[in-house]
């Protein structure tokens, strides 16, 4: 222990007369972090000020002990830090690395609005995206590259179409959408990602709750929207005309990038959209919607093995 610390310690020890107190003071002054702090701030401290503010050194020491022993501290998740404030020793509480990481993860999660998507979606990311020979495929790698490019070039002021990922079940279309949304979150961009068939059901309930307009507007206005599994279900004319067409019309006018995933190619989707569940055929309505989709996104046919099997 440095002579300055020893002198200070002796001075404080002299204030008490029981042994327990003497021992505690010694432990406080033997703490490497407290010693480093006193050394670093020698010029700003005097024996009197250290004596006066000894309770702060003790607080720092005690809190650290509680944290080390995994006991409840005054501010769980926060780490005590010694500092000098207007000539006085003080203790500030700063978020621990673990708390900061949790806060950051929550901020990122809050930037992605998820409507009826698989549980693993928040964990999807580019780093774990399969690109090796076994799992990767040229078209999947191309889709990944385009998604990355989108994230790098994204800007609110400059419209960039999203991707329309077509391809069979299990090739990783949804995973890629999720990874893209999570990457955008890191870049401070908010995304809404929804499973289209479930979204239609949800919006039907919204009619009963009289929240349809509000909920549909929120989706229409999302800075980036991802519509997963479009075409997976028979589309009612209501879902087509009052949901999909309204949302896409808004997004085209406002130039808001939109992603899609589908088991169908754009051509196949056009036929699918032309027929509703009552066997009415409306090719013009379908064409109009397809024009919106083509404006808002670029088609990539993703091929590869079924990742659900591997
Ligand atoms: P699709 O939407 O094309 O039907 P999914 O995205 O649902 O396919 O992928 C099928 C399964 O494979 C999912 O369980 C998903 O978590 C997993 N998966 C897909 N792509 C990857 C990837 N690149 N890395 C890790 N897991 C993946
Ligand atoms: Mg999918």
């Amino acid at each position: 222990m440095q002579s300055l610390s020893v002198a200070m310690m002796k001075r404080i020890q002299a204030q008490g007369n029981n042994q327990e107190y003497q021992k505690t003071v010694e432990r406080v002054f033997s703490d490497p972090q407290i010693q480093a702090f006193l050394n670093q701030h020698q010029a700003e401290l005097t024996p009197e000020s250290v004596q006066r503010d000894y309770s702060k050194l003790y607080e720092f020491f005690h809190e650290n002990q509680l944290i080390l022993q995994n006991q409840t501290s005054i501010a769980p998740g926060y780490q005590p830090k010694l500092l000098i404030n207007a000539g006085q020793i003080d203790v500030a509480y700063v978020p621990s690395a673990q708390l900061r990481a949790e806060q950051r993860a929550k901020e990122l999660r809050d930037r992605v609005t998820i409507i009826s998507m698989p549980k693993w979606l928040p964990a999807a990311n580019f780093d774990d995206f399969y690109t090796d020979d076994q799992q990767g495929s040229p078209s999947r790698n191309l889709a990944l590259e385009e998604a990355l490019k989108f994230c790098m070039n994204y800007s609110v002021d400059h419209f960039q179409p999203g991707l329309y990922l077509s391809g069979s079940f299990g090739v990783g279309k949804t995973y890629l959408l999720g990874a893209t949304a999570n990457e955008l979150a890191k870049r401070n961009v908010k995304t809404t990602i929804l499973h289209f068939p479930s979204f239609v059901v949800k919006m039907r309930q919204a009619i009963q709750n009289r929240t349809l307009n509000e909920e549909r507007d929120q989706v229409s206005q999302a800075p980036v929207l991802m519509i997963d599994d479009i075409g997976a279900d028979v589309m009612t004319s209501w879902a087509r005309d009052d949901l999909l067409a309204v949302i896409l019309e808004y997004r085209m006018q406002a130039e808001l990038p939109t992603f899609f995933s589908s088991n169908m190619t754009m051509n196949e989707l056009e036929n699918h959209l032309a027929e509703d569940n009552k066997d009415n055929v409306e090719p013009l309505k379908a064409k109009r919607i397809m024009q919106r989709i083509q404006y808002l996104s670029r088609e990539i046919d993703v091929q590869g093995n079924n990742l659900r099997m591997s």
Side-chain angles (χ1 to χ4, degrees), residues 117-118 120 168-175 177 195 228-229 261-263 308:
M117 297 295 294
W120 47 257
S168 49
F169 181 78
V171 293
K173 302 179 298 292
T174 301
Y175 190 93
L177 291 185
H195 179 245
D228 189 44
D229 249 348
S261 91
S262 181
N263 290 352
R308 294 183 204 206

Side-chain angles (χ1 to χ4, degrees), residues 63 66 70-74 76:
E63 282 306 303
L66 291 178
N70 269 332
Q71 294 184 30
T72 316
S73 55
I74 317 186

Side-chain angles (χ1 to χ4, degrees), residues 15 18 52 60 68 79 102 108 130 132 142 150 156 171 193 195 202 210 214 241 250 252 254 257 273 275 293 304:
Q15 288 186 305
N18 77 55
R52 184 191 62 213
F60 173 84
L68 281 176
Q79 198 81 40
E102 284 166 13
L108 294 184
Y130 296 141
D132 58 275
L142 173 73
F150 178 90
V156 231
V171 293
I193 176 163
H195 179 245
K202 189 170 181 276
R210 300 176 188 281
E214 189 189 323
D241 304 332
Y250 180 92
M252 191 175 86
L273 288 174
E275 285 177 34
I293 293 179

Side-chain angles (χ1 to χ4, degrees), residues 130-143:
Y130 296 141
T131 50
D132 58 275
D133 290 346
Q134 233 192 347
Q135 308 282 20
S137 76
S139 59
R140 196 184 285 139
N141 292 353
L142 173 73

Side-chain angles (χ1 to χ4, degrees), residues 190-194 219-220 222-227 247-248 251 256-260:
K190 288 188 176 159
T191 299
T192 294
I193 176 163
L194 54 89
V219 166
S220 298
V224 176
L225 176 66
M226 299 182 172
I227 299 181
I247 291 169
L248 297 184
R251 298 189 68 79
L256 294 170
T258 310
F259 288 68
F260 301 86

